[in-house]
């Protein structure tokens, strides 16, 4: 297999944390910041940076509110994010040898 | 990126999907609460029938239904406020629970109270709605055994329509209720506990 056969991977998704976040959000209507932090095993600052990148690209929508007196940040995948994730999966498939 | 790295990414995606599925699994709490309430209502029915106080049977069922709905609404609001993630599967299941809850109210209380049909038909129609509940749940949660419970409810509904007399019908309904409602509810609960333990 030559490198020309590989489809390019979206650099915004091509990061372990961002891919993990999108994988959670693809089946979720929304997920809160602490849940994403726990499931991706990252820190507050690191996750915030990755979420900002995804939000800038229009892949996720971040909402900030309050639950009682505590701040609550929730994330949801946008239509653009869903399409980008689907494209990313298709591109990943190109790295596997075609089944005969 | 090479094939090994691509496989690693696929493994990560699958792991995250599985974690979300486990975090949003059905706990079965409301099923057990409703199961206890319906069991109490059925026992109440037999006690009232024993003393031939048939005129209070409606109050027995209405009281249990009101308690169940109030508990379900409070539980639902509190759970929604606390849940860190909400999946599309949960959203679909909650719509199904609400639809079937409304269906039970219609076929079990509202329509017979409006004299649309005889009280003797209630258990048959409740069995039909229960069949829909379990069949669709089996599809949503990808758990085929629940679909079979749905089929048994429908067969039970047909069976009850051949039985004459409300007492015998209610007895068959009670058997169906234990086998096809309480048993799967405890299955759901134990599956949920196992998944939580492996998380």
């Amino acid at each position: 297999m030559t490198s020309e056969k590989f489809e390019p991977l979206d650099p915004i998704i091509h990061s372990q944390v961002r891919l993990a976040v999108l994988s959670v959000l693809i089946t979720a209507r929304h997920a809160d910041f602490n849940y994403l932090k726990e499931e991706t095993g990252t820190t507050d600052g690191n996750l915030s940076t990755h979420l900002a990148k995804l939000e800038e690209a229009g892949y996720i929508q971040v909402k900030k509110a309050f639950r009682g007196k505590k701040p609550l940040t929730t994330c949801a995948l946008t239509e653009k994010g869903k399409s980008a994730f689907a494209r990313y999966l298709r591109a990943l498939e190109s790295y596997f040898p075609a089944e005969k | 990126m090479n094939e090994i790295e691509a496989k690693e990414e696929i493994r990560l995606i699958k792991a995250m999907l599985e974690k979300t599925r486990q975090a949003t699994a059905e706990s079965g709490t409301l099923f057990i609460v409703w199961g206890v309430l319906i069991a109490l209502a059925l026992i109440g029915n037999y006690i009232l029938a024993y003393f031939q106080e048939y005129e209070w049977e409606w109050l027995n069922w209405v009281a249990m239904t009101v308690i169940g709905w109030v508990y379900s609404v409070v539980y639902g609001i509190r759970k929604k406020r606390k849940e860190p993630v909400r999946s599309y599967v949960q959203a679909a299941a909650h719509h199904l629970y609400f639809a079937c809850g409304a269906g039970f109210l219609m076929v079990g209380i509202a329509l017979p109270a409006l004299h649309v049909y005889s009280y003797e038909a209630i258990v048959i129609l409740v069995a039909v709605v229960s069949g829909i509940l379990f069949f669709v749940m089996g599809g949503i949660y990808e758990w085929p055994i629940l679909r079979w419970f749905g089929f048994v409810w429908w067969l039970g509904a047909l069976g009850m329509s051949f039985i004459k007399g409300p007492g015998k019908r209610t007895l068959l309904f009670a058997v169906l209720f234990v086998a096809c409602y309480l048993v799967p509810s405890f299955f759901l609960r134990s599956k949920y506990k196992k998944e939580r333990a492996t998380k």
Side-chain angles (χ1 to χ4, degrees), chain A residues 9 14 16 19 23-24 26-32 35 39 67 88-89 92 95-97, chain B residues 1 3 6-7 9-10 12-13 16-17 19-20 23 81-88 91 199:
Chain A
L9 293 170
H14 190 47
Q16 204 171 0
L19 180 62
S23 302
V24 169
I26 196 75
T27 55
R29 267 187 166 180
H30 56 78
D32 73 30
Y35 176 80
E39 298 303 319
R67 184 184 281 161
Y88 191 85
L89 288 181
L92 265 186
Y95 289 83
F96 297 104
Chain B
M1 166 80 73
E3 194 185 328
K7 273 186 182 165
E9 292 216 338
I10 296 288
L12 172 71
I13 293 167
M16 298 313 289
L17 293 177
K19 279 182 180 181
T20 311
R81 230 182 259 163
K82 282 183 189 170
E83 67 189 4
V85 59
R86 188 174 182 78
S87 70
Y88 289 107
K199 200 171 179 267

mmCIF file of all heavy atoms in Angstrom, chain A residues 9 14 16 19 23-24 26-32 35 39 67 88-89 92 95-97, chain B residues 1 3 6-7 9-10 12-13 16-17 19-20 23 81-88 91 199:
data_model
loop_
_atom_site.group_PDB
_atom_site.id
_atom_site.type_symbol
_atom_site.label_atom_id
_atom_site.label_comp_id
_atom_site.label_asym_id
_atom_site.label_seq_id
_atom_site.Cartn_x
_atom_site.Cartn_y
_atom_site.Cartn_z
ATOM 1 N N LEU A 9 -6.071 12.802 7.455
ATOM 2 C CA LEU A 9 -6.880 12.859 8.682
ATOM 3 C C LEU A 9 -7.057 14.308 9.111
ATOM 4 O O LEU A 9 -6.111 15.097 9.040
ATOM 5 C CB LEU A 9 -6.201 12.067 9.802
ATOM 6 C CG LEU A 9 -6.124 10.558 9.614
ATOM 7 C CD1 LEU A 9 -5.223 9.936 10.673
ATOM 8 C CD2 LEU A 9 -7.503 9.915 9.678
ATOM 9 N N HIS A 14 -7.489 14.789 15.014
ATOM 10 C CA HIS A 14 -6.355 13.867 15.184
ATOM 11 C C HIS A 14 -5.512 14.196 16.435
ATOM 12 O O HIS A 14 -4.390 14.686 16.339
ATOM 13 C CB HIS A 14 -5.498 13.879 13.919
ATOM 14 C CG HIS A 14 -4.455 12.808 13.911
ATOM 15 N ND1 HIS A 14 -4.739 11.506 14.236
ATOM 16 C CD2 HIS A 14 -3.135 12.841 13.625
ATOM 17 C CE1 HIS A 14 -3.620 10.803 14.154
ATOM 18 N NE2 HIS A 14 -2.631 11.590 13.790
ATOM 19 N N GLN A 16 -5.511 12.515 20.701
ATOM 20 C CA GLN A 16 -6.178 11.503 21.530
ATOM 21 C C GLN A 16 -7.352 12.079 22.341
ATOM 22 O O GLN A 16 -8.431 11.496 22.375
ATOM 23 C CB GLN A 16 -5.161 10.859 22.461
ATOM 24 C CG GLN A 16 -5.621 9.495 22.889
ATOM 25 C CD GLN A 16 -4.562 8.718 23.631
ATOM 26 O OE1 GLN A 16 -3.461 9.190 23.844
ATOM 27 N NE2 GLN A 16 -4.901 7.517 24.039
ATOM 28 N N LEU A 19 -10.246 13.293 19.988
ATOM 29 C CA LEU A 19 -10.945 12.131 19.413
ATOM 30 C C LEU A 19 -11.812 11.459 20.483
ATOM 31 O O LEU A 19 -12.954 11.060 20.216
ATOM 32 C CB LEU A 19 -9.927 11.121 18.855
ATOM 33 C CG LEU A 19 -10.509 9.858 18.227
ATOM 34 C CD1 LEU A 19 -11.376 10.182 17.012
ATOM 35 C CD2 LEU A 19 -9.402 8.892 17.801
ATOM 36 N N SER A 23 -15.823 11.069 20.448
ATOM 37 C CA SER A 23 -16.387 9.711 20.526
ATOM 38 C C SER A 23 -17.464 9.625 21.604
ATOM 39 O O SER A 23 -18.440 8.890 21.467
ATOM 40 C CB SER A 23 -15.294 8.689 20.834
ATOM 41 O OG SER A 23 -14.306 8.737 19.856
ATOM 42 N N VAL A 24 -17.290 10.376 22.689
ATOM 43 C CA VAL A 24 -18.334 10.422 23.730
ATOM 44 C C VAL A 24 -19.552 11.159 23.183
ATOM 45 O O VAL A 24 -20.688 10.694 23.289
ATOM 46 C CB VAL A 24 -17.826 11.139 25.019
ATOM 47 C CG1 VAL A 24 -18.976 11.417 25.981
ATOM 48 C CG2 VAL A 24 -16.744 10.304 25.704
ATOM 49 N N ILE A 26 -20.594 11.688 20.204
ATOM 50 C CA ILE A 26 -21.301 11.155 19.028
ATOM 51 C C ILE A 26 -22.561 10.377 19.449
ATOM 52 O O ILE A 26 -23.543 10.338 18.717
ATOM 53 C CB ILE A 26 -20.371 10.292 18.123
ATOM 54 C CG1 ILE A 26 -20.990 10.082 16.742
ATOM 55 C CG2 ILE A 26 -20.031 8.948 18.743
ATOM 56 C CD1 ILE A 26 -20.941 11.273 15.843
ATOM 57 N N THR A 27 -22.537 9.769 20.668
ATOM 58 C CA THR A 27 -23.734 9.044 21.116
ATOM 59 C C THR A 27 -24.495 9.806 22.207
ATOM 60 O O THR A 27 -25.499 9.325 22.706
ATOM 61 C CB THR A 27 -23.379 7.651 21.680
ATOM 62 O OG1 THR A 27 -22.416 7.822 22.713
ATOM 63 C CG2 THR A 27 -22.857 6.718 20.621
ATOM 64 N N ALA A 28 -23.958 10.971 22.580
ATOM 65 C CA ALA A 28 -24.591 11.717 23.672
ATOM 66 C C ALA A 28 -25.223 13.001 23.156
ATOM 67 O O ALA A 28 -24.671 13.657 22.270
ATOM 68 C CB ALA A 28 -23.553 12.033 24.741
ATOM 69 N N ARG A 29 -26.362 13.330 23.730
ATOM 70 C CA ARG A 29 -26.973 14.622 23.394
ATOM 71 C C ARG A 29 -26.099 15.734 23.953
ATOM 72 O O ARG A 29 -25.912 16.757 23.344
ATOM 73 C CB ARG A 29 -28.349 14.715 24.056
ATOM 74 C CG ARG A 29 -29.475 14.275 23.193
ATOM 75 C CD ARG A 29 -30.755 14.577 23.904
ATOM 76 N NE ARG A 29 -31.866 14.477 23.000
ATOM 77 C CZ ARG A 29 -33.107 14.691 23.360
ATOM 78 N NH1 ARG A 29 -33.388 15.023 24.597
ATOM 79 N NH2 ARG A 29 -34.077 14.577 22.491
ATOM 80 N N HIS A 30 -25.607 15.501 25.163
ATOM 81 C CA HIS A 30 -24.671 16.435 25.795
ATOM 82 C C HIS A 30 -23.924 15.714 26.900
ATOM 83 O O HIS A 30 -24.381 14.685 27.407
ATOM 84 C CB HIS A 30 -25.399 17.662 26.357
ATOM 85 C CG HIS A 30 -26.479 17.337 27.329
ATOM 86 N ND1 HIS A 30 -26.222 16.986 28.633
ATOM 87 C CD2 HIS A 30 -27.818 17.271 27.178
ATOM 88 C CE1 HIS A 30 -27.373 16.750 29.231
ATOM 89 N NE2 HIS A 30 -28.358 16.897 28.373
ATOM 90 N N ALA A 31 -22.761 16.269 27.244
ATOM 91 C CA ALA A 31 -21.982 15.711 28.357
ATOM 92 C C ALA A 31 -21.360 16.877 29.101
ATOM 93 O O ALA A 31 -21.004 17.885 28.470
ATOM 94 C CB ALA A 31 -20.901 14.785 27.828
ATOM 95 N N ASP A 32 -21.261 16.771 30.423
ATOM 96 C CA ASP A 32 -20.682 17.908 31.132
ATOM 97 C C ASP A 32 -19.162 17.779 31.242
ATOM 98 O O ASP A 32 -18.583 16.711 31.022
ATOM 99 C CB ASP A 32 -21.409 18.204 32.449
ATOM 100 C CG ASP A 32 -21.147 17.215 33.552
ATOM 101 O OD1 ASP A 32 -20.059 16.646 33.574
ATOM 102 O OD2 ASP A 32 -22.036 17.048 34.405
ATOM 103 N N TYR A 35 -17.515 15.094 33.457
ATOM 104 C CA TYR A 35 -17.641 13.738 32.900
ATOM 105 C C TYR A 35 -16.570 13.527 31.825
ATOM 106 O O TYR A 35 -15.883 12.505 31.808
ATOM 107 C CB TYR A 35 -19.045 13.535 32.314
ATOM 108 C CG TYR A 35 -19.209 12.191 31.646
ATOM 109 C CD1 TYR A 35 -19.444 11.055 32.395
ATOM 110 C CD2 TYR A 35 -19.096 12.061 30.263
ATOM 111 C CE1 TYR A 35 -19.564 9.807 31.789
ATOM 112 C CE2 TYR A 35 -19.213 10.829 29.648
ATOM 113 C CZ TYR A 35 -19.449 9.704 30.424
ATOM 114 O OH TYR A 35 -19.558 8.484 29.821
ATOM 115 N N GLU A 39 -13.578 10.770 31.901
ATOM 116 C CA GLU A 39 -13.505 9.705 30.886
ATOM 117 C C GLU A 39 -12.270 9.816 29.991
ATOM 118 O O GLU A 39 -11.773 8.812 29.496
ATOM 119 C CB GLU A 39 -14.770 9.686 30.017
ATOM 120 C CG GLU A 39 -16.061 9.409 30.778
ATOM 121 C CD GLU A 39 -16.044 8.100 31.547
ATOM 122 O OE1 GLU A 39 -15.543 7.090 31.029
ATOM 123 O OE2 GLU A 39 -16.533 8.091 32.695
ATOM 124 N N ARG A 67 -25.425 25.151 38.003
ATOM 125 C CA ARG A 67 -26.300 24.141 38.622
ATOM 126 C C ARG A 67 -26.265 24.481 40.106
ATOM 127 O O ARG A 67 -25.289 24.204 40.787
ATOM 128 C CB ARG A 67 -25.769 22.739 38.354
ATOM 129 C CG ARG A 67 -26.682 21.644 38.878
ATOM 130 C CD ARG A 67 -26.082 20.284 38.669
ATOM 131 N NE ARG A 67 -26.232 19.821 37.300
ATOM 132 C CZ ARG A 67 -25.502 18.844 36.765
ATOM 133 N NH1 ARG A 67 -24.564 18.251 37.483
ATOM 134 N NH2 ARG A 67 -25.703 18.457 35.507
ATOM 135 N N TYR A 88 -13.753 11.490 9.372
ATOM 136 C CA TYR A 88 -12.538 11.012 10.045
ATOM 137 C C TYR A 88 -12.532 9.482 10.090
ATOM 138 O O TYR A 88 -11.512 8.843 9.844
ATOM 139 C CB TYR A 88 -12.473 11.596 11.456
ATOM 140 C CG TYR A 88 -11.145 11.382 12.147
ATOM 141 C CD1 TYR A 88 -10.084 12.260 11.942
ATOM 142 C CD2 TYR A 88 -10.942 10.309 12.998
ATOM 143 C CE1 TYR A 88 -8.857 12.070 12.562
ATOM 144 C CE2 TYR A 88 -9.718 10.108 13.623
ATOM 145 C CZ TYR A 88 -8.684 10.998 13.399
ATOM 146 O OH TYR A 88 -7.470 10.794 14.018
ATOM 147 N N LEU A 89 -13.689 8.901 10.394
ATOM 148 C CA LEU A 89 -13.790 7.430 10.443
ATOM 149 C C LEU A 89 -13.522 6.818 9.070
ATOM 150 O O LEU A 89 -12.842 5.797 8.954
ATOM 151 C CB LEU A 89 -15.161 6.986 10.949
ATOM 152 C CG LEU A 89 -15.460 7.191 12.430
ATOM 153 C CD1 LEU A 89 -16.843 6.679 12.776
ATOM 154 C CD2 LEU A 89 -14.428 6.485 13.315
ATOM 155 N N LEU A 92 -9.903 6.961 8.451
ATOM 156 C CA LEU A 92 -9.195 5.928 9.240
ATOM 157 C C LEU A 92 -9.254 4.577 8.537
ATOM 158 O O LEU A 92 -8.294 3.821 8.549
ATOM 159 C CB LEU A 92 -9.840 5.790 10.618
ATOM 160 C CG LEU A 92 -9.263 6.550 11.805
ATOM 161 C CD1 LEU A 92 -9.970 6.136 13.078
ATOM 162 C CD2 LEU A 92 -7.761 6.351 11.956
ATOM 163 N N TYR A 95 -6.574 3.315 6.237
ATOM 164 C CA TYR A 95 -5.286 2.829 6.771
ATOM 165 C C TYR A 95 -5.286 1.316 6.979
ATOM 166 O O TYR A 95 -4.291 0.751 7.380
ATOM 167 C CB TYR A 95 -4.959 3.549 8.091
ATOM 168 C CG TYR A 95 -4.597 4.994 7.839
ATOM 169 C CD1 TYR A 95 -5.594 5.951 7.689
ATOM 170 C CD2 TYR A 95 -3.273 5.388 7.679
ATOM 171 C CE1 TYR A 95 -5.289 7.272 7.416
ATOM 172 C CE2 TYR A 95 -2.950 6.711 7.402
ATOM 173 C CZ TYR A 95 -3.965 7.651 7.274
ATOM 174 O OH TYR A 95 -3.651 8.938 6.987
ATOM 175 N N PHE A 96 -6.448 0.705 6.731
ATOM 176 C CA PHE A 96 -6.524 -0.757 6.865
ATOM 177 C C PHE A 96 -6.525 -1.385 5.475
ATOM 178 O O PHE A 96 -7.167 -0.856 4.571
ATOM 179 C CB PHE A 96 -7.794 -1.180 7.618
ATOM 180 C CG PHE A 96 -7.828 -0.675 9.027
ATOM 181 C CD1 PHE A 96 -8.622 0.399 9.386
ATOM 182 C CD2 PHE A 96 -7.033 -1.262 9.998
ATOM 183 C CE1 PHE A 96 -8.628 0.877 10.680
ATOM 184 C CE2 PHE A 96 -7.035 -0.788 11.294
ATOM 185 C CZ PHE A 96 -7.838 0.281 11.641
ATOM 186 N N PRO A 97 -5.814 -2.490 5.319
ATOM 187 C CA PRO A 97 -5.821 -3.133 4.006
ATOM 188 C C PRO A 97 -7.241 -3.561 3.624
ATOM 189 O O PRO A 97 -7.985 -4.024 4.495
ATOM 190 C CB PRO A 97 -4.921 -4.355 4.185
ATOM 191 C CG PRO A 97 -4.501 -4.389 5.603
ATOM 192 C CD PRO A 97 -5.045 -3.223 6.313
ATOM 193 N N MET B 1 0.817 8.326 10.318
ATOM 194 C CA MET B 1 -0.171 7.326 10.775
ATOM 195 C C MET B 1 0.026 6.027 9.999
ATOM 196 O O MET B 1 0.143 6.040 8.781
ATOM 197 C CB MET B 1 -1.587 7.899 10.565
ATOM 198 C CG MET B 1 -2.737 6.933 10.654
ATOM 199 S SD MET B 1 -3.281 6.487 12.295
ATOM 200 C CE MET B 1 -4.107 7.960 12.836
ATOM 201 N N GLU B 3 -1.060 1.520 10.092
ATOM 202 C CA GLU B 3 -2.193 0.650 10.433
ATOM 203 C C GLU B 3 -2.306 0.434 11.944
ATOM 204 O O GLU B 3 -3.405 0.427 12.495
ATOM 205 C CB GLU B 3 -2.023 -0.688 9.713
ATOM 206 C CG GLU B 3 -3.294 -1.508 9.724
ATOM 207 C CD GLU B 3 -3.108 -2.882 9.113
ATOM 208 O OE1 GLU B 3 -2.287 -3.014 8.195
ATOM 209 O OE2 GLU B 3 -3.790 -3.809 9.566
ATOM 210 N N ALA B 6 -3.768 3.474 13.509
ATOM 211 C CA ALA B 6 -5.184 3.552 13.135
ATOM 212 C C ALA B 6 -6.004 2.595 14.008
ATOM 213 O O ALA B 6 -7.090 2.940 14.481
ATOM 214 C CB ALA B 6 -5.365 3.220 11.662
ATOM 215 N N LYS B 7 -5.441 1.392 14.247
ATOM 216 C CA LYS B 7 -6.140 0.417 15.100
ATOM 217 C C LYS B 7 -6.274 0.958 16.521
ATOM 218 O O LYS B 7 -7.283 0.772 17.177
ATOM 219 C CB LYS B 7 -5.360 -0.908 15.123
ATOM 220 C CG LYS B 7 -5.732 -1.823 13.980
ATOM 221 C CD LYS B 7 -5.069 -3.166 14.112
ATOM 222 C CE LYS B 7 -5.435 -4.046 12.917
ATOM 223 N NZ LYS B 7 -4.584 -5.204 12.801
ATOM 224 N N GLU B 9 -6.506 4.072 17.370
ATOM 225 C CA GLU B 9 -7.553 5.102 17.381
ATOM 226 C C GLU B 9 -8.944 4.460 17.395
ATOM 227 O O GLU B 9 -9.835 4.923 18.085
ATOM 228 C CB GLU B 9 -7.401 6.037 16.175
ATOM 229 C CG GLU B 9 -6.141 6.880 16.276
ATOM 230 C CD GLU B 9 -6.302 8.297 15.739
ATOM 231 O OE1 GLU B 9 -7.218 8.528 14.931
ATOM 232 O OE2 GLU B 9 -5.499 9.156 16.133
ATOM 233 N N ILE B 10 -9.102 3.395 16.626
ATOM 234 C CA ILE B 10 -10.398 2.687 16.597
ATOM 235 C C ILE B 10 -10.689 2.111 17.991
ATOM 236 O O ILE B 10 -11.813 2.195 18.486
ATOM 237 C CB ILE B 10 -10.393 1.544 15.536
ATOM 238 C CG1 ILE B 10 -10.231 2.107 14.119
ATOM 239 C CG2 ILE B 10 -11.613 0.645 15.658
ATOM 240 C CD1 ILE B 10 -11.441 2.831 13.558
ATOM 241 N N LEU B 12 -9.664 3.289 20.828
ATOM 242 C CA LEU B 12 -10.027 4.413 21.691
ATOM 243 C C LEU B 12 -11.491 4.812 21.476
ATOM 244 O O LEU B 12 -12.250 4.999 22.437
ATOM 245 C CB LEU B 12 -9.107 5.614 21.407
ATOM 246 C CG LEU B 12 -9.489 6.925 22.109
ATOM 247 C CD1 LEU B 12 -9.214 6.849 23.608
ATOM 248 C CD2 LEU B 12 -8.712 8.095 21.521
ATOM 249 N N ILE B 13 -11.896 4.891 20.205
ATOM 250 C CA ILE B 13 -13.285 5.266 19.891
ATOM 251 C C ILE B 13 -14.244 4.245 20.507
ATOM 252 O O ILE B 13 -15.213 4.606 21.167
ATOM 253 C CB ILE B 13 -13.499 5.373 18.355
ATOM 254 C CG1 ILE B 13 -12.691 6.542 17.792
ATOM 255 C CG2 ILE B 13 -14.971 5.522 18.014
ATOM 256 C CD1 ILE B 13 -12.561 6.555 16.272
ATOM 257 N N MET B 16 -14.490 4.603 24.296
ATOM 258 C CA MET B 16 -15.283 5.756 24.729
ATOM 259 C C MET B 16 -16.776 5.498 24.517
ATOM 260 O O MET B 16 -17.593 5.886 25.347
ATOM 261 C CB MET B 16 -14.853 7.029 23.970
ATOM 262 C CG MET B 16 -13.428 7.449 24.189
ATOM 263 S SD MET B 16 -12.878 7.458 25.909
ATOM 264 C CE MET B 16 -13.735 8.836 26.574
ATOM 265 N N LEU B 17 -17.106 4.841 23.410
ATOM 266 C CA LEU B 17 -18.521 4.517 23.147
ATOM 267 C C LEU B 17 -19.044 3.590 24.240
ATOM 268 O O LEU B 17 -20.153 3.759 24.751
ATOM 269 C CB LEU B 17 -18.688 3.844 21.774
ATOM 270 C CG LEU B 17 -18.409 4.697 20.532
ATOM 271 C CD1 LEU B 17 -18.555 3.855 19.283
ATOM 272 C CD2 LEU B 17 -19.344 5.886 20.453
ATOM 273 N N LYS B 19 -17.860 3.256 27.322
ATOM 274 C CA LYS B 19 -17.949 3.980 28.600
ATOM 275 C C LYS B 19 -19.254 4.785 28.669
ATOM 276 O O LYS B 19 -19.920 4.807 29.694
ATOM 277 C CB LYS B 19 -16.763 4.940 28.747
ATOM 278 C CG LYS B 19 -15.493 4.276 29.230
ATOM 279 C CD LYS B 19 -14.413 5.327 29.383
ATOM 280 C CE LYS B 19 -13.110 4.732 29.858
ATOM 281 N NZ LYS B 19 -12.062 5.742 30.033
ATOM 282 N N THR B 20 -19.600 5.436 27.556
ATOM 283 C CA THR B 20 -20.835 6.235 27.528
ATOM 284 C C THR B 20 -22.049 5.325 27.670
ATOM 285 O O THR B 20 -22.996 5.650 28.383
ATOM 286 C CB THR B 20 -20.931 7.045 26.210
ATOM 287 O OG1 THR B 20 -19.697 7.704 26.010
ATOM 288 C CG2 THR B 20 -22.047 8.064 26.260
ATOM 289 N N ALA B 23 -22.282 4.367 31.267
ATOM 290 C CA ALA B 23 -22.673 5.496 32.122
ATOM 291 C C ALA B 23 -24.150 5.828 31.973
ATOM 292 O O ALA B 23 -24.749 6.416 32.881
ATOM 293 C CB ALA B 23 -21.831 6.716 31.780
ATOM 294 N N ARG B 81 -31.272 16.406 36.492
ATOM 295 C CA ARG B 81 -30.453 17.482 37.032
ATOM 296 C C ARG B 81 -29.037 17.000 37.362
ATOM 297 O O ARG B 81 -28.085 17.727 37.239
ATOM 298 C CB ARG B 81 -31.128 18.010 38.312
ATOM 299 C CG ARG B 81 -31.259 19.515 38.313
ATOM 300 C CD ARG B 81 -31.877 19.957 39.596
ATOM 301 N NE ARG B 81 -33.288 20.257 39.446
ATOM 302 C CZ ARG B 81 -34.138 20.362 40.448
ATOM 303 N NH1 ARG B 81 -33.745 20.134 41.675
ATOM 304 N NH2 ARG B 81 -35.392 20.674 40.228
ATOM 305 N N LYS B 82 -28.956 15.737 37.812
ATOM 306 C CA LYS B 82 -27.661 15.214 38.269
ATOM 307 C C LYS B 82 -26.839 14.540 37.171
ATOM 308 O O LYS B 82 -25.631 14.426 37.304
ATOM 309 C CB LYS B 82 -27.886 14.179 39.383
ATOM 310 C CG LYS B 82 -28.198 14.801 40.726
ATOM 311 C CD LYS B 82 -28.331 13.681 41.738
ATOM 312 C CE LYS B 82 -28.848 14.177 43.063
ATOM 313 N NZ LYS B 82 -29.197 13.059 43.947
ATOM 314 N N GLU B 83 -27.483 14.057 36.109
ATOM 315 C CA GLU B 83 -26.756 13.202 35.160
ATOM 316 C C GLU B 83 -25.683 13.987 34.400
ATOM 317 O O GLU B 83 -25.949 15.057 33.859
ATOM 318 C CB GLU B 83 -27.715 12.483 34.211
ATOM 319 C CG GLU B 83 -28.437 13.373 33.257
ATOM 320 C CD GLU B 83 -29.525 12.643 32.493
ATOM 321 O OE1 GLU B 83 -29.783 11.466 32.739
ATOM 322 O OE2 GLU B 83 -30.130 13.311 31.645
ATOM 323 N N PRO B 84 -24.458 13.450 34.365
ATOM 324 C CA PRO B 84 -23.367 14.162 33.701
ATOM 325 C C PRO B 84 -23.386 14.018 32.181
ATOM 326 O O PRO B 84 -22.788 14.795 31.473
ATOM 327 C CB PRO B 84 -22.120 13.497 34.283
ATOM 328 C CG PRO B 84 -22.557 12.120 34.632
ATOM 329 C CD PRO B 84 -23.994 12.204 34.998
ATOM 330 N N VAL B 85 -24.067 12.995 31.705
ATOM 331 C CA VAL B 85 -24.126 12.764 30.259
ATOM 332 C C VAL B 85 -25.503 12.183 29.933
ATOM 333 O O VAL B 85 -26.067 11.434 30.723
ATOM 334 C CB VAL B 85 -22.983 11.815 29.807
ATOM 335 C CG1 VAL B 85 -23.044 10.475 30.486
ATOM 336 C CG2 VAL B 85 -22.971 11.626 28.297
ATOM 337 N N ARG B 86 -26.020 12.609 28.776
ATOM 338 C CA ARG B 86 -27.325 12.083 28.358
ATOM 339 C C ARG B 86 -27.192 11.576 26.926
ATOM 340 O O ARG B 86 -26.864 12.349 26.023
ATOM 341 C CB ARG B 86 -28.377 13.180 28.448
ATOM 342 C CG ARG B 86 -29.782 12.674 28.223
ATOM 343 C CD ARG B 86 -30.767 13.801 28.482
ATOM 344 N NE ARG B 86 -32.139 13.365 28.325
ATOM 345 C CZ ARG B 86 -32.823 12.671 29.213
ATOM 346 N NH1 ARG B 86 -32.264 12.331 30.336
ATOM 347 N NH2 ARG B 86 -34.067 12.328 28.996
ATOM 348 N N SER B 87 -27.447 10.273 26.769
ATOM 349 C CA SER B 87 -27.277 9.695 25.438
ATOM 350 C C SER B 87 -28.580 9.756 24.638
ATOM 351 O O SER B 87 -29.659 9.958 25.198
ATOM 352 C CB SER B 87 -26.812 8.249 25.557
ATOM 353 O OG SER B 87 -27.859 7.468 26.056
ATOM 354 N N TYR B 88 -28.456 9.549 23.340
ATOM 355 C CA TYR B 88 -29.648 9.505 22.487
ATOM 356 C C TYR B 88 -30.504 8.294 22.840
ATOM 357 O O TYR B 88 -31.725 8.327 22.731
ATOM 358 C CB TYR B 88 -29.242 9.463 21.009
ATOM 359 C CG TYR B 88 -28.662 10.774 20.536
ATOM 360 C CD1 TYR B 88 -27.306 10.914 20.294
ATOM 361 C CD2 TYR B 88 -29.478 11.891 20.361
ATOM 362 C CE1 TYR B 88 -26.772 12.121 19.891
ATOM 363 C CE2 TYR B 88 -28.955 13.104 19.955
ATOM 364 C CZ TYR B 88 -27.599 13.213 19.721
ATOM 365 O OH TYR B 88 -27.070 14.416 19.328
ATOM 366 N N ALA B 91 -32.584 9.246 25.728
ATOM 367 C CA ALA B 91 -33.658 10.152 25.296
ATOM 368 C C ALA B 91 -34.781 9.347 24.634
ATOM 369 O O ALA B 91 -35.968 9.572 24.925
ATOM 370 C CB ALA B 91 -33.104 11.190 24.337
ATOM 371 N N LYS B 199 -17.096 -0.925 35.572
ATOM 372 C CA LYS B 199 -16.686 0.402 35.089
ATOM 373 C C LYS B 199 -15.409 0.887 35.786
ATOM 374 O O LYS B 199 -15.247 0.733 36.947
ATOM 375 C CB LYS B 199 -17.802 1.409 35.326
ATOM 376 C CG LYS B 199 -17.663 2.629 34.457
ATOM 377 C CD LYS B 199 -18.875 3.499 34.548
ATOM 378 C CE LYS B 199 -18.676 4.711 33.668
ATOM 379 N NZ LYS B 199 -18.127 5.845 34.312
#
